Amino acid sequence: METHKVVLVTGAGSGFGKCIALALAKEGWLVYASMRAPQGRNRARAQALLAACPERIRVVELDVGDDASAAGGVARVIQEAGRIDVLVNNAGIMFQGVSEAYDMAQARDIMETNFFSAVRMDRLVLPQMRRQRGGVLLHITSIAGSIVFPFAGLYSASKMATEGLAESYRYELRQFGIDSLVIQPCPYPTALLDSQQAPADAERLAAYGEQGRLPEQRIASTKAWHQKDKAPDPDEVAQSVCQLLAMPFGERPFRSVAGTLDFGTSRLNDVRAEVQAGVAGAFGF
């Protein structure tokens, strides 16, 4: 019986997740593409993935924000495939607006989806990876995990939190042969803009006057940019994933930028890596 390396991709119904699932399937991986409601509102997306590569893609129902759903999805992968070689934490949402005007419920929502879901999913797969003595935790964050865009404070905070956890895991899990990595996409035309929520606190938003409308104008211009013929291809992120996973354990960089419009993030990451190496060395890693 032919065996494949097994990868679980969250948020695989569209955007980067879909591109990553398809690219890895073409590379010979057995891909478990997870999404919410594959028999319901995401049925068409699930069927499209299965039709694209039926021999190597399995669709699994999994809500990264729900303990029982996430545990059930991971359990199914392990039961069917016997292992999980790579987890791609891709599911996420983005808000752009006056940071103060987002209420606490919205702040919890974005942190739950972008950060706590990664905590949840990592914890669910790690016992299996430790038994295997190997695996990869791959976190799709953003260049906003290294730099800050005005009016995207909550988004940047969620991505920076994820990167902090992922980098600590990199040292803690090394003894088990497990890699923890980050890919930081530059701006790409995906459906992420459609997940946005407007700030809920209208009174605080009004206090910012005309400046409070800048995020709306930026979103509109970004959507127009998405329609241009020369807009970057989100599949570039999937190719970065394939290249990173093809490298052997111990040789993969912790942070990789996908795309060219990085506003200097790659240079910043080089400095951070040098500083972090000194910190790690001081603590015996």
Side-chain angles (χ1 to χ4, degrees):
M1 178 179 174
E2 186 180 8
T3 59
H4 302 277
K5 289 186 177 181
V6 179
V7 57
L8 172 59
V9 183
T10 67
S14 63
F16 296 144
K18 178 181 178 181
C19 291
I20 291 166
L22 291 172
L24 289 175
K26 291 176 183 177
E27 292 281 333
W29 290 73
L30 177 58
V31 178
Y32 281 83
S34 80
M35 64 187 72
R36 292 179 291 181
Q39 300 299 323
R41 62 185 177 87
N42 285 321
R43 183 180 179 85
R45 291 176 172 179
Q47 290 179 333
L49 276 172
L50 291 171
C53 197
E55 69 279 9
R56 292 202 181 97
I57 292 182
R58 310 283 185 270
V59 173
V60 57
E61 183 168 6
L62 195 158
D63 181 349
V64 297
D66 182 89
D67 287 336
S69 176
V74 170
R76 177 190 159 187
V77 177
I78 295 172
Q79 181 180 19
E80 291 183 4
R83 60 187 298 110
I84 297 179
D85 296 292
V86 176
L87 167 67
V88 180
N89 280 309
N90 167 73
I93 58 176
M94 179 170 66
F95 299 168
Q96 291 184 90
V98 173
S99 299
E100 181 191 351
Y102 285 101
D103 64 17
M104 289 306 300
Q106 291 178 306
R108 292 188 184 97
D109 188 20
I110 196 168
M111 291 301 293
E112 177 62 52
T113 305
N114 291 1
F115 173 63
F116 287 115
S117 71
V119 177
R120 178 178 293 110
M121 294 302 300
D122 287 346
R123 292 190 75 249
L124 285 168
V125 304
L126 278 172
Q128 177 63 35
M129 288 185 176
R130 283 189 281 104
R131 285 192 292 270
Q132 296 167 187
R133 305 296 296 185
V136 178
L137 304 176
L138 180 53
H139 308 82
I140 308 299
T141 61
S142 167
I143 57 172
S146 284
I147 59 176
V148 173
F149 295 97
F151 301 106
L154 291 174
Y155 181 69
S156 283
S158 69
K159 295 301 184 179
M160 290 178 178
T162 301
E163 293 198 6
L165 174 70
E167 193 153 14
S168 185
Y169 267 150
R170 184 168 176 83
Y171 301 108
E172 297 171 28
L173 297 173
R174 185 172 295 166
Q175 63 173 312
F176 303 108
I178 299 171
D179 247 341
S180 178
L181 312 170
V182 162
I183 287 185
Q184 299 174 314
C186 294
Y188 280 93
T190 71
L192 193 62
L193 287 177
D194 297 328
S195 70
Q196 306 230 22
Q197 295 180 24
D201 193 326
E203 181 179 352
R204 296 194 184 215
L205 179 61
Y208 283 75
E210 189 59 29
Q211 190 179 45
R213 296 186 55 83
L214 291 177
E216 297 177 14
Q217 297 166 9
R218 187 168 71 188
I219 292 169
S221 65
T222 301
K223 287 187 174 182
W225 170 73
H226 284 182
Q227 304 303 316
K228 292 183 178 180
D229 293 338
K230 293 185 179 181
D233 185 352
D235 194 54
E236 293 173 2
V237 177
Q239 296 309 311
S240 294
V241 170
C242 292
Q243 293 167 11
L244 200 59
L245 295 182
M247 299 172 68
F249 175 77
E251 296 185 16
R252 302 180 182 108
F254 171 65
R255 286 184 179 85
S256 300
V257 172
T260 56
L261 188 63
D262 75 344
F263 300 96
T265 301
S266 296
R267 290 186 287 114
L268 177 61
N269 287 344
D270 288 342
V271 175
R272 293 177 68 178
E274 181 180 351
V275 172
Q276 186 61 47
V279 173
F283 283 85
F285 286 90

mmCIF file of all heavy atoms in Angstrom, residues 197-239:
data_model
loop_
_atom_site.group_PDB
_atom_site.id
_atom_site.type_symbol
_atom_site.label_atom_id
_atom_site.label_comp_id
_atom_site.label_asym_id
_atom_site.label_seq_id
_atom_site.Cartn_x
_atom_site.Cartn_y
_atom_site.Cartn_z
ATOM 1 N N GLN A 197 -15.064 42.963 10.217
ATOM 2 C CA GLN A 197 -16.154 43.516 11.000
ATOM 3 C C GLN A 197 -15.907 45.009 11.197
ATOM 4 O O GLN A 197 -14.779 45.433 11.441
ATOM 5 C CB GLN A 197 -16.251 42.850 12.376
ATOM 6 C CG GLN A 197 -16.599 41.383 12.357
ATOM 7 C CD GLN A 197 -16.672 40.818 13.764
ATOM 8 O OE1 GLN A 197 -16.902 41.542 14.742
ATOM 9 N NE2 GLN A 197 -16.466 39.512 13.887
ATOM 10 N N ALA A 198 -16.954 45.802 11.076
ATOM 11 C CA ALA A 198 -16.836 47.221 11.386
ATOM 12 C C ALA A 198 -16.771 47.400 12.900
ATOM 13 O O ALA A 198 -17.313 46.580 13.652
ATOM 14 C CB ALA A 198 -18.035 47.976 10.825
ATOM 15 N N PRO A 199 -16.095 48.440 13.374
ATOM 16 C CA PRO A 199 -16.060 48.678 14.824
ATOM 17 C C PRO A 199 -17.461 48.793 15.401
ATOM 18 O O PRO A 199 -18.335 49.449 14.822
ATOM 19 C CB PRO A 199 -15.290 49.997 14.932
ATOM 20 C CG PRO A 199 -14.464 50.082 13.690
ATOM 21 C CD PRO A 199 -15.305 49.445 12.629
ATOM 22 N N ALA A 200 -17.690 48.175 16.545
ATOM 23 C CA ALA A 200 -19.028 48.133 17.138
ATOM 24 C C ALA A 200 -19.368 49.383 17.942
ATOM 25 O O ALA A 200 -20.543 49.692 18.131
ATOM 26 C CB ALA A 200 -19.151 46.905 18.037
ATOM 27 N N ASP A 201 -18.345 50.091 18.419
ATOM 28 C CA ASP A 201 -18.587 51.247 19.280
ATOM 29 C C ASP A 201 -18.653 52.511 18.421
ATOM 30 O O ASP A 201 -17.639 53.168 18.147
ATOM 31 C CB ASP A 201 -17.480 51.362 20.328
ATOM 32 C CG ASP A 201 -17.818 52.333 21.448
ATOM 33 O OD1 ASP A 201 -18.490 53.341 21.159
ATOM 34 O OD2 ASP A 201 -17.416 52.083 22.604
ATOM 35 N N ALA A 202 -19.881 52.871 17.999
ATOM 36 C CA ALA A 202 -20.064 54.005 17.093
ATOM 37 C C ALA A 202 -19.656 55.330 17.733
ATOM 38 O O ALA A 202 -19.136 56.228 17.056
ATOM 39 C CB ALA A 202 -21.522 54.064 16.645
ATOM 40 N N GLU A 203 -19.872 55.463 19.041
ATOM 41 C CA GLU A 203 -19.530 56.708 19.722
ATOM 42 C C GLU A 203 -18.026 56.956 19.697
ATOM 43 O O GLU A 203 -17.567 58.065 19.414
ATOM 44 C CB GLU A 203 -20.040 56.662 21.160
ATOM 45 C CG GLU A 203 -19.760 57.936 21.949
ATOM 46 C CD GLU A 203 -20.297 57.870 23.366
ATOM 47 O OE1 GLU A 203 -21.028 56.907 23.702
ATOM 48 O OE2 GLU A 203 -19.977 58.786 24.151
ATOM 49 N N ARG A 204 -17.252 55.928 19.974
ATOM 50 C CA ARG A 204 -15.789 56.087 19.964
ATOM 51 C C ARG A 204 -15.277 56.270 18.537
ATOM 52 O O ARG A 204 -14.319 57.018 18.307
ATOM 53 C CB ARG A 204 -15.121 54.898 20.635
ATOM 54 C CG ARG A 204 -15.480 54.801 22.110
ATOM 55 C CD ARG A 204 -14.584 53.850 22.855
ATOM 56 N NE ARG A 204 -15.031 53.711 24.239
ATOM 57 C CZ ARG A 204 -14.225 53.558 25.266
ATOM 58 N NH1 ARG A 204 -12.914 53.530 25.079
ATOM 59 N NH2 ARG A 204 -14.709 53.419 26.479
ATOM 60 N N LEU A 205 -15.905 55.594 17.595
ATOM 61 C CA LEU A 205 -15.510 55.768 16.193
ATOM 62 C C LEU A 205 -15.737 57.208 15.757
ATOM 63 O O LEU A 205 -14.893 57.812 15.091
ATOM 64 C CB LEU A 205 -16.306 54.805 15.316
ATOM 65 C CG LEU A 205 -16.030 54.883 13.808
ATOM 66 C CD1 LEU A 205 -14.571 54.560 13.502
ATOM 67 C CD2 LEU A 205 -16.956 53.928 13.058
ATOM 68 N N ALA A 206 -16.878 57.800 16.158
ATOM 69 C CA ALA A 206 -17.202 59.170 15.767
ATOM 70 C C ALA A 206 -16.194 60.173 16.321
ATOM 71 O O ALA A 206 -15.945 61.221 15.711
ATOM 72 C CB ALA A 206 -18.609 59.518 16.252
ATOM 73 N N ALA A 207 -15.583 59.852 17.461
ATOM 74 C CA ALA A 207 -14.613 60.772 18.067
ATOM 75 C C ALA A 207 -13.386 60.980 17.186
ATOM 76 O O ALA A 207 -12.674 61.974 17.328
ATOM 77 C CB ALA A 207 -14.194 60.246 19.443
ATOM 78 N N TYR A 208 -13.145 60.055 16.259
ATOM 79 C CA TYR A 208 -11.973 60.161 15.385
ATOM 80 C C TYR A 208 -12.256 60.972 14.129
ATOM 81 O O TYR A 208 -11.355 61.205 13.320
ATOM 82 C CB TYR A 208 -11.480 58.761 15.001
ATOM 83 C CG TYR A 208 -10.714 58.080 16.109
ATOM 84 C CD1 TYR A 208 -11.373 57.545 17.203
ATOM 85 C CD2 TYR A 208 -9.328 57.996 16.068
ATOM 86 C CE1 TYR A 208 -10.684 56.926 18.238
ATOM 87 C CE2 TYR A 208 -8.618 57.381 17.099
ATOM 88 C CZ TYR A 208 -9.314 56.848 18.177
ATOM 89 O OH TYR A 208 -8.621 56.242 19.200
ATOM 90 N N GLY A 209 -13.519 61.394 13.949
ATOM 91 C CA GLY A 209 -13.870 62.252 12.833
ATOM 92 C C GLY A 209 -13.539 61.631 11.485
ATOM 93 O O GLY A 209 -13.709 60.431 11.267
ATOM 94 N N GLU A 210 -13.027 62.475 10.594
ATOM 95 C CA GLU A 210 -12.740 62.016 9.231
ATOM 96 C C GLU A 210 -11.661 60.942 9.209
ATOM 97 O O GLU A 210 -11.653 60.070 8.337
ATOM 98 C CB GLU A 210 -12.318 63.208 8.372
ATOM 99 C CG GLU A 210 -12.189 62.891 6.875
ATOM 100 C CD GLU A 210 -13.480 62.388 6.261
ATOM 101 O OE1 GLU A 210 -14.567 62.756 6.745
ATOM 102 O OE2 GLU A 210 -13.386 61.600 5.292
ATOM 103 N N GLN A 211 -10.729 60.992 10.161
ATOM 104 C CA GLN A 211 -9.671 59.991 10.198
ATOM 105 C C GLN A 211 -10.249 58.584 10.377
ATOM 106 O O GLN A 211 -9.663 57.601 9.912
ATOM 107 C CB GLN A 211 -8.684 60.289 11.322
ATOM 108 C CG GLN A 211 -7.436 59.416 11.254
ATOM 109 C CD GLN A 211 -6.447 59.743 12.369
ATOM 110 O OE1 GLN A 211 -6.838 59.902 13.520
ATOM 111 N NE2 GLN A 211 -5.176 59.846 12.021
ATOM 112 N N GLY A 212 -11.399 58.500 11.025
ATOM 113 C CA GLY A 212 -12.024 57.201 11.225
ATOM 114 C C GLY A 212 -12.505 56.554 9.948
ATOM 115 O O GLY A 212 -12.801 55.357 9.924
ATOM 116 N N ARG A 213 -12.574 57.339 8.856
ATOM 117 C CA ARG A 213 -13.009 56.795 7.567
ATOM 118 C C ARG A 213 -11.843 56.292 6.724
ATOM 119 O O ARG A 213 -12.053 55.669 5.678
ATOM 120 C CB ARG A 213 -13.781 57.862 6.786
ATOM 121 C CG ARG A 213 -15.084 58.297 7.441
ATOM 122 C CD ARG A 213 -15.859 59.256 6.530
ATOM 123 N NE ARG A 213 -16.098 58.665 5.210
ATOM 124 C CZ ARG A 213 -17.097 57.829 4.946
ATOM 125 N NH1 ARG A 213 -17.932 57.459 5.900
ATOM 126 N NH2 ARG A 213 -17.260 57.367 3.724
ATOM 127 N N LEU A 214 -10.632 56.540 7.169
ATOM 128 C CA LEU A 214 -9.468 56.101 6.391
ATOM 129 C C LEU A 214 -9.448 54.591 6.160
ATOM 130 O O LEU A 214 -9.127 54.142 5.051
ATOM 131 C CB LEU A 214 -8.175 56.552 7.078
ATOM 132 C CG LEU A 214 -7.894 58.063 7.067
ATOM 133 C CD1 LEU A 214 -6.621 58.371 7.843
ATOM 134 C CD2 LEU A 214 -7.767 58.565 5.635
ATOM 135 N N PRO A 215 -9.782 53.752 7.158
ATOM 136 C CA PRO A 215 -9.784 52.312 6.898
ATOM 137 C C PRO A 215 -10.772 51.918 5.806
ATOM 138 O O PRO A 215 -10.472 51.043 4.982
ATOM 139 C CB PRO A 215 -10.191 51.704 8.249
ATOM 140 C CG PRO A 215 -9.779 52.732 9.252
ATOM 141 C CD PRO A 215 -10.022 54.039 8.579
ATOM 142 N N GLU A 216 -11.945 52.550 5.750
ATOM 143 C CA GLU A 216 -12.907 52.245 4.697
ATOM 144 C C GLU A 216 -12.318 52.558 3.324
ATOM 145 O O GLU A 216 -12.479 51.790 2.366
ATOM 146 C CB GLU A 216 -14.186 53.051 4.909
ATOM 147 C CG GLU A 216 -14.938 52.730 6.187
ATOM 148 C CD GLU A 216 -16.155 53.616 6.346
ATOM 149 O OE1 GLU A 216 -16.552 54.279 5.356
ATOM 150 O OE2 GLU A 216 -16.708 53.668 7.458
ATOM 151 N N GLN A 217 -11.642 53.688 3.231
ATOM 152 C CA GLN A 217 -11.037 54.082 1.958
ATOM 153 C C GLN A 217 -9.925 53.115 1.562
ATOM 154 O O GLN A 217 -9.772 52.755 0.393
ATOM 155 C CB GLN A 217 -10.501 55.503 2.072
ATOM 156 C CG GLN A 217 -11.587 56.541 2.338
ATOM 157 C CD GLN A 217 -11.022 57.877 2.781
ATOM 158 O OE1 GLN A 217 -9.808 58.108 2.750
ATOM 159 N NE2 GLN A 217 -11.896 58.781 3.227
ATOM 160 N N ARG A 218 -9.144 52.671 2.569
ATOM 161 C CA ARG A 218 -8.056 51.739 2.271
ATOM 162 C C ARG A 218 -8.601 50.388 1.825
ATOM 163 O O ARG A 218 -8.066 49.761 0.903
ATOM 164 C CB ARG A 218 -7.151 51.566 3.493
ATOM 165 C CG ARG A 218 -5.897 50.742 3.172
ATOM 166 C CD ARG A 218 -4.895 50.818 4.288
ATOM 167 N NE ARG A 218 -5.338 50.078 5.461
ATOM 168 C CZ ARG A 218 -4.707 50.104 6.632
ATOM 169 N NH1 ARG A 218 -3.634 50.852 6.781
ATOM 170 N NH2 ARG A 218 -5.149 49.391 7.654
ATOM 171 N N ILE A 219 -9.665 49.910 2.470
ATOM 172 C CA ILE A 219 -10.266 48.639 2.072
ATOM 173 C C ILE A 219 -10.775 48.718 0.640
ATOM 174 O O ILE A 219 -10.579 47.796 -0.162
ATOM 175 C CB ILE A 219 -11.401 48.259 3.043
ATOM 176 C CG1 ILE A 219 -10.831 47.920 4.420
ATOM 177 C CG2 ILE A 219 -12.204 47.075 2.508
ATOM 178 C CD1 ILE A 219 -11.885 47.784 5.503
ATOM 179 N N ALA A 220 -11.421 49.828 0.292
ATOM 180 C CA ALA A 220 -11.939 50.003 -1.063
ATOM 181 C C ALA A 220 -10.808 50.005 -2.086
ATOM 182 O O ALA A 220 -10.905 49.366 -3.148
ATOM 183 C CB ALA A 220 -12.746 51.296 -1.153
ATOM 184 N N SER A 221 -9.712 50.709 -1.772
ATOM 185 C CA SER A 221 -8.582 50.754 -2.721
ATOM 186 C C SER A 221 -7.896 49.404 -2.816
ATOM 187 O O SER A 221 -7.432 49.014 -3.897
ATOM 188 C CB SER A 221 -7.578 51.830 -2.291
ATOM 189 O OG SER A 221 -6.982 51.510 -1.052
ATOM 190 N N THR A 222 -7.857 48.667 -1.690
ATOM 191 C CA THR A 222 -7.256 47.338 -1.717
ATOM 192 C C THR A 222 -8.076 46.390 -2.582
ATOM 193 O O THR A 222 -7.524 45.600 -3.358
ATOM 194 C CB THR A 222 -7.138 46.771 -0.291
ATOM 195 O OG1 THR A 222 -6.329 47.648 0.494
ATOM 196 C CG2 THR A 222 -6.506 45.384 -0.308
ATOM 197 N N LYS A 223 -9.401 46.454 -2.463
ATOM 198 C CA LYS A 223 -10.252 45.602 -3.291
ATOM 199 C C LYS A 223 -10.092 45.942 -4.772
ATOM 200 O O LYS A 223 -10.088 45.048 -5.624
ATOM 201 C CB LYS A 223 -11.709 45.741 -2.859
ATOM 202 C CG LYS A 223 -12.018 45.056 -1.534
ATOM 203 C CD LYS A 223 -13.501 45.066 -1.229
ATOM 204 C CE LYS A 223 -13.804 44.251 0.014
ATOM 205 N NZ LYS A 223 -15.256 44.196 0.322
ATOM 206 N N ALA A 224 -9.923 47.214 -5.089
ATOM 207 C CA ALA A 224 -9.675 47.612 -6.478
ATOM 208 C C ALA A 224 -8.337 47.061 -6.964
ATOM 209 O O ALA A 224 -8.216 46.587 -8.102
ATOM 210 C CB ALA A 224 -9.712 49.135 -6.599
ATOM 211 N N TRP A 225 -7.339 47.092 -6.091
ATOM 212 C CA TRP A 225 -6.017 46.539 -6.434
ATOM 213 C C TRP A 225 -6.115 45.039 -6.691
ATOM 214 O O TRP A 225 -5.447 44.503 -7.564
ATOM 215 C CB TRP A 225 -5.049 46.842 -5.296
ATOM 216 C CG TRP A 225 -3.724 46.151 -5.370
ATOM 217 C CD1 TRP A 225 -2.702 46.434 -6.222
ATOM 218 C CD2 TRP A 225 -3.278 45.066 -4.554
ATOM 219 N NE1 TRP A 225 -1.636 45.592 -5.982
ATOM 220 C CE2 TRP A 225 -1.959 44.745 -4.967
ATOM 221 C CE3 TRP A 225 -3.849 44.340 -3.514
ATOM 222 C CZ2 TRP A 225 -1.225 43.724 -4.383
ATOM 223 C CZ3 TRP A 225 -3.110 43.327 -2.923
ATOM 224 C CH2 TRP A 225 -1.831 43.029 -3.362
ATOM 225 N N HIS A 226 -6.976 44.346 -5.938
ATOM 226 C CA HIS A 226 -7.163 42.905 -6.123
ATOM 227 C C HIS A 226 -7.629 42.566 -7.527
ATOM 228 O O HIS A 226 -7.379 41.462 -8.020
ATOM 229 C CB HIS A 226 -8.197 42.374 -5.126
ATOM 230 C CG HIS A 226 -7.661 42.230 -3.738
ATOM 231 N ND1 HIS A 226 -8.420 41.720 -2.706
ATOM 232 C CD2 HIS A 226 -6.461 42.528 -3.200
ATOM 233 C CE1 HIS A 226 -7.706 41.707 -1.598
ATOM 234 N NE2 HIS A 226 -6.519 42.199 -1.871
ATOM 235 N N GLN A 227 -8.323 43.505 -8.161
ATOM 236 C CA GLN A 227 -8.886 43.229 -9.477
ATOM 237 C C GLN A 227 -7.891 43.466 -10.617
ATOM 238 O O GLN A 227 -8.182 43.131 -11.772
ATOM 239 C CB GLN A 227 -10.128 44.109 -9.698
ATOM 240 C CG GLN A 227 -11.198 43.944 -8.628
ATOM 241 C CD GLN A 227 -11.673 42.514 -8.486
ATOM 242 O OE1 GLN A 227 -11.912 41.838 -9.482
ATOM 243 N NE2 GLN A 227 -11.804 42.051 -7.248
ATOM 244 N N LYS A 228 -6.743 44.047 -10.299
ATOM 245 C CA LYS A 228 -5.764 44.343 -11.349
ATOM 246 C C LYS A 228 -5.119 43.073 -11.880
ATOM 247 O O LYS A 228 -4.936 42.096 -11.165
ATOM 248 C CB LYS A 228 -4.681 45.280 -10.809
ATOM 249 C CG LYS A 228 -5.189 46.694 -10.501
ATOM 250 C CD LYS A 228 -4.050 47.595 -10.048
ATOM 251 C CE LYS A 228 -4.537 49.005 -9.796
ATOM 252 N NZ LYS A 228 -3.440 49.906 -9.347
ATOM 253 N N ASP A 229 -4.764 43.106 -13.160
ATOM 254 C CA ASP A 229 -4.149 41.941 -13.807
ATOM 255 C C ASP A 229 -2.832 41.553 -13.163
ATOM 256 O O ASP A 229 -2.468 40.373 -13.138
ATOM 257 C CB ASP A 229 -3.922 42.225 -15.300
ATOM 258 C CG ASP A 229 -5.226 42.358 -16.072
ATOM 259 O OD1 ASP A 229 -6.248 41.825 -15.581
ATOM 260 O OD2 ASP A 229 -5.223 43.004 -17.126
ATOM 261 N N LYS A 230 -2.110 42.525 -12.638
ATOM 262 C CA LYS A 230 -0.788 42.250 -12.082
ATOM 263 C C LYS A 230 -0.801 42.038 -10.571
ATOM 264 O O LYS A 230 0.245 42.054 -9.928
ATOM 265 C CB LYS A 230 0.171 43.387 -12.448
ATOM 266 C CG LYS A 230 0.468 43.472 -13.949
ATOM 267 C CD LYS A 230 1.508 44.534 -14.257
ATOM 268 C CE LYS A 230 1.802 44.579 -15.753
ATOM 269 N NZ LYS A 230 2.833 45.600 -16.085
ATOM 270 N N ALA A 231 -1.972 41.840 -9.992
ATOM 271 C CA ALA A 231 -2.036 41.540 -8.560
ATOM 272 C C ALA A 231 -1.315 40.225 -8.304
ATOM 273 O O ALA A 231 -1.372 39.299 -9.116
ATOM 274 C CB ALA A 231 -3.494 41.437 -8.109
ATOM 275 N N PRO A 232 -0.581 40.108 -7.194
ATOM 276 C CA PRO A 232 0.173 38.884 -6.934
ATOM 277 C C PRO A 232 -0.732 37.673 -6.763
ATOM 278 O O PRO A 232 -1.883 37.776 -6.347
ATOM 279 C CB PRO A 232 0.930 39.204 -5.632
ATOM 280 C CG PRO A 232 0.153 40.299 -4.994
ATOM 281 C CD PRO A 232 -0.431 41.104 -6.109
ATOM 282 N N ASP A 233 -0.193 36.510 -7.098
ATOM 283 C CA ASP A 233 -0.946 35.260 -7.076
ATOM 284 C C ASP A 233 -0.833 34.611 -5.699
ATOM 285 O O ASP A 233 0.268 34.310 -5.245
ATOM 286 C CB ASP A 233 -0.379 34.323 -8.149
ATOM 287 C CG ASP A 233 -1.169 33.041 -8.298
ATOM 288 O OD1 ASP A 233 -2.078 32.782 -7.480
ATOM 289 O OD2 ASP A 233 -0.872 32.276 -9.238
ATOM 290 N N PRO A 234 -1.955 34.359 -5.004
ATOM 291 C CA PRO A 234 -1.897 33.712 -3.683
ATOM 292 C C PRO A 234 -1.220 32.346 -3.708
ATOM 293 O O PRO A 234 -0.752 31.869 -2.666
ATOM 294 C CB PRO A 234 -3.370 33.583 -3.284
ATOM 295 C CG PRO A 234 -4.073 34.641 -4.065
ATOM 296 C CD PRO A 234 -3.333 34.737 -5.369
ATOM 297 N N ASP A 235 -1.137 31.739 -4.872
ATOM 298 C CA ASP A 235 -0.476 30.440 -4.962
ATOM 299 C C ASP A 235 1.010 30.541 -4.627
ATOM 300 O O ASP A 235 1.648 29.527 -4.327
ATOM 301 C CB ASP A 235 -0.649 29.845 -6.364
ATOM 302 C CG ASP A 235 -0.284 28.380 -6.420
ATOM 303 O OD1 ASP A 235 -0.837 27.592 -5.621
ATOM 304 O OD2 ASP A 235 0.587 28.011 -7.241
ATOM 305 N N GLU A 236 1.564 31.759 -4.658
ATOM 306 C CA GLU A 236 2.961 31.942 -4.249
ATOM 307 C C GLU A 236 3.168 31.526 -2.800
ATOM 308 O O GLU A 236 4.230 31.001 -2.440
ATOM 309 C CB GLU A 236 3.378 33.405 -4.437
ATOM 310 C CG GLU A 236 3.436 33.865 -5.879
ATOM 311 C CD GLU A 236 3.698 35.350 -6.022
ATOM 312 O OE1 GLU A 236 3.874 36.025 -4.981
ATOM 313 O OE2 GLU A 236 3.721 35.847 -7.163
ATOM 314 N N VAL A 237 2.166 31.742 -1.968
ATOM 315 C CA VAL A 237 2.255 31.334 -0.565
ATOM 316 C C VAL A 237 2.309 29.816 -0.470
ATOM 317 O O VAL A 237 3.092 29.243 0.299
ATOM 318 C CB VAL A 237 1.069 31.892 0.250
ATOM 319 C CG1 VAL A 237 1.125 31.400 1.690
ATOM 320 C CG2 VAL A 237 1.072 33.417 0.202
ATOM 321 N N ALA A 238 1.496 29.141 -1.279
ATOM 322 C CA ALA A 238 1.502 27.675 -1.294
ATOM 323 C C ALA A 238 2.850 27.141 -1.746
ATOM 324 O O ALA A 238 3.360 26.148 -1.205
ATOM 325 C CB ALA A 238 0.395 27.158 -2.202
ATOM 326 N N GLN A 239 3.455 27.792 -2.729
ATOM 327 C CA GLN A 239 4.760 27.344 -3.193
ATOM 328 C C GLN A 239 5.827 27.552 -2.114
ATOM 329 O O GLN A 239 6.757 26.744 -1.976
ATOM 330 C CB GLN A 239 5.149 28.083 -4.483
ATOM 331 C CG GLN A 239 4.232 27.778 -5.655
ATOM 332 C CD GLN A 239 4.053 26.283 -5.883
ATOM 333 O OE1 GLN A 239 5.040 25.525 -5.927
ATOM 334 N NE2 GLN A 239 2.818 25.843 -6.026
#
